[in-house]
């Protein structure tokens, strides 16, 4: 029975998140009501509050779900990266970007970013920062993996270089979220072009 209850709880939670993501896209984050999310998830409002206190909690849970899936996909690339620095970076960053709008819209990302900045000591901001840290660490791990394969020079500070690549891809994603007309293909092309000089410098010749 415990296993059944756990599955039922997980199912309700996922229905809430899916319902909220769809409603946020349809009417906007600010206009979405808890009552409408509960109705779409086929639960009572009281049950909703057993899972989340407010819309901000749902947004954070959705961001977390997005990034956890991105990290899982990125992990597969890091475990077996393409044989060139640019190929590996393009594959990993492409995984990040291609999944970035699966659950979240640009508007939702903007709101999440704003909350993280405006409330730096909040649980939301701390969790958001932790997710960024894990993504940054994964980029650095990729550089170390490429060093082990003889693709990146062994004397390169993999952590520092990984941070540089991540800081740029993160800054460019912020710009992407701000611009409704910018496409994912345009974002990936810009970041790839910006990464190429540094990738060339650290590659074994």
């Amino acid at each position: 029975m415990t296993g059944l209850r756990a599955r039922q709880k997980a199912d309700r939670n996922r229905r809430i998140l899916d319902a909220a993501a769809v409603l946020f896209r349809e009417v906007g984050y600010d206009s979405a009501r808890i009552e409408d999310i509960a109705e779409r998830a086929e639960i009572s409002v009281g049950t909703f509050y057993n899972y989340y206190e407010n819309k901000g909690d749902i947004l954070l849970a959705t961001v977390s779900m997005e990034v956890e899936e991105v990290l899982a996909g990125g992990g597969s690339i890091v475990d077996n990266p393409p044989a060139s620095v640019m190929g590996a970076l393009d594959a990993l960053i492409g995984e990040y970007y291609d999944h970035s709008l699966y659950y979240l819209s640009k508007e939702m990302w903007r709101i999440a970013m704003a909350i993280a900045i405006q409330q730096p000591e909040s649980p939301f901001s701390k969790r958001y920062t932790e997710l960024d840290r894990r993504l940054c660490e994964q980029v650095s791990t990729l550089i170390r993996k490429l060093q082990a394969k003889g693709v990146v020079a062994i004397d390169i500070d993999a952590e520092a270089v990984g941070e540089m690549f991540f800081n740029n891809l993160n800054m460019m994603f912020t710009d992407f979220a701000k611009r409704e007309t910018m496409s994912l293909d345009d974002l990936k092309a810009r970041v790839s072009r910006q990464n190429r000089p540094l990738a060339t410098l650290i590659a074994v010749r």
Side-chain angles (χ1 to χ4, degrees):
M1 289 299 293
T2 301
L4 176 60
R5 283 196 295 270
R7 289 194 299 273
Q8 289 173 335
K9 184 175 181 180
D11 176 66
R12 280 193 295 270
N13 183 56
R14 186 56 184 253
R15 293 207 315 269
I16 292 169
L17 293 177
D18 288 345
V22 171
L23 193 62
F24 290 161
R25 287 177 183 275
E26 288 182 357
V27 304
Y29 178 84
D30 290 335
S31 297
R33 302 186 313 147
I34 298 296
E35 293 82 359
D36 296 329
I37 295 172
E39 181 179 353
R40 288 190 179 219
E42 299 180 340
I43 60 171
S44 68
V45 173
T47 298
F48 172 92
Y49 284 112
N50 289 333
Y51 289 80
Y52 299 102
E53 291 185 7
N54 50 50
K55 289 192 296 185
D57 285 351
I58 301 177
L59 182 59
L60 177 58
T62 307
V63 170
S64 296
M65 182 169 62
E66 187 88 73
V67 176
E68 291 291 352
E69 292 186 11
V70 162
L71 284 164
S76 298
I77 294 170
V78 171
D79 288 343
N80 188 27
S84 70
V85 180
M86 277 307 300
L89 283 169
D90 283 347
L92 183 62
I93 294 170
E95 175 71 21
Y96 291 173
Y97 288 163
D98 285 340
H99 201 293
S100 64
L101 299 180
Y102 192 80
Y103 300 114
L104 298 158
S105 64
K106 287 190 177 186
E107 182 210 22
M108 292 165 70
W109 275 115
R110 290 194 296 269
I111 292 167
M113 292 171 187
I115 294 173
I117 293 169
Q118 293 169 355
Q119 303 172 26
E121 297 305 316
S122 66
F124 188 111
S125 182
K126 290 178 179 179
R127 174 62 171 157
Y128 191 96
T129 301
E130 180 207 353
L131 292 168
D132 264 359
R133 176 188 58 76
R134 290 173 59 195
L135 288 166
C136 184
E137 288 177 351
Q138 190 171 71
V139 179
S140 294
T141 299
L142 174 66
I143 303 302
R144 284 192 289 270
K145 188 65 174 278
L146 293 174
Q147 280 182 318
K149 287 179 170 290
V151 176
V152 168
I154 198 65
D155 59 341
I156 293 295
D157 185 337
E159 182 177 358
V161 169
E163 289 170 354
M164 292 170 69
F165 283 125
F166 175 76
N167 288 340
N168 184 60
L169 75 89
N170 200 29
M171 179 191 71
M172 288 301 296
F173 183 75
T174 300
D175 192 47
F176 167 74
K178 287 161 50 180
R179 301 187 186 194
E180 287 293 345
T181 58
M182 184 187 291
S183 69
L184 277 171
D185 285 342
D186 190 20
L187 171 64
K188 288 189 286 187
R190 291 187 188 191
V191 172
S192 182
R193 178 178 61 81
Q194 293 164 0
N195 284 341
R196 190 169 297 279
L198 180 55
T200 301
L201 287 173
I202 67 174
V204 171
R205 291 173 175 78

